[in-house]
Amino acid sequence: MIVAVTYDNGQVFQHFGHSEQFKIYHVEEGQVQKSGIYSTNGQGHGALADFLQGHGVEVLICGGIGQGAQNALSQMGIELCPGVSGNADDAVAAWASGSLVYHPDTMCTHHEGGHSCGEHGHSCGGHSCGNH
């Protein structure tokens, strides 16, 4: 799996649409095999989903994200884990072990509490998050 994190100085960056960098991880059998930091070259909201798709990203871990970006990622089949903060490497390790907790209120406002992310094919209550 290829997992991207909105990235700033080792931390999960908190505004997807203003992300200047992503750290992209290649995860196999629950372990990070390699990773790298990629500049978005100043691309804005609309181009970032294409940027991620172009890098083969299957999962995005991020802080805050708007509805338009959620929809674009959903249409591209990119699993979204929003509302995450802290160290980017730790977030990916938690995702790889199936224990990453994200906050769906940044995405699915009709849910309360956190959901465990990393279960491939995750959905919120039988519907795909971001498609309401």
Side-chain angles (χ1 to χ4, degrees):
M1 292 289 276
I2 300 176
V3 180
V5 178
T6 52
Y7 189 79
D8 182 43
N9 197 30
Q11 301 296 303
V12 177
F13 185 63
Q14 293 302 300
H15 191 111
F16 173 81
H18 293 280
S19 296
E20 294 181 9
Q21 295 179 321
F22 288 96
K23 189 164 184 181
I24 298 177
Y25 303 77
H26 294 258
V27 180
E28 294 178 21
E29 297 180 12
Q31 299 292 319
V32 173
Q33 302 300 311
K34 65 180 181 173
S35 65
I37 300 169
Y38 297 85
S39 173
T40 63
N41 297 317
Q43 298 183 53
H45 291 82
L48 292 176
D50 290 334
F51 176 91
L52 294 172
Q53 185 179 45
H55 282 84
V57 170
E58 299 164 271
V59 177
L60 172 66
I61 298 170
C62 64
I65 185 167
Q67 187 65 48
Q70 292 175 33
N71 292 341
L73 294 168
S74 177
Q75 289 174 358
M76 293 177 177
I78 297 174
E79 178 183 345
L80 182 59
C81 299
V84 176
S85 62
N87 182 279
D89 293 346
D90 292 347
V92 172
W95 176 86
S97 71
S99 64
L100 177 67
V101 175
Y102 68 87
H103 301 284
D105 59 339
T106 60
M107 180 173 65
C108 296
T109 58
H110 60 279
H111 294 294
E112 295 181 15
H115 286 210
S116 177
C117 190
E119 298 297 321
H120 310 300
H122 165 80
S123 65
C124 293
H127 62 274
S128 178
C129 294
N131 286 334
H132 350 316

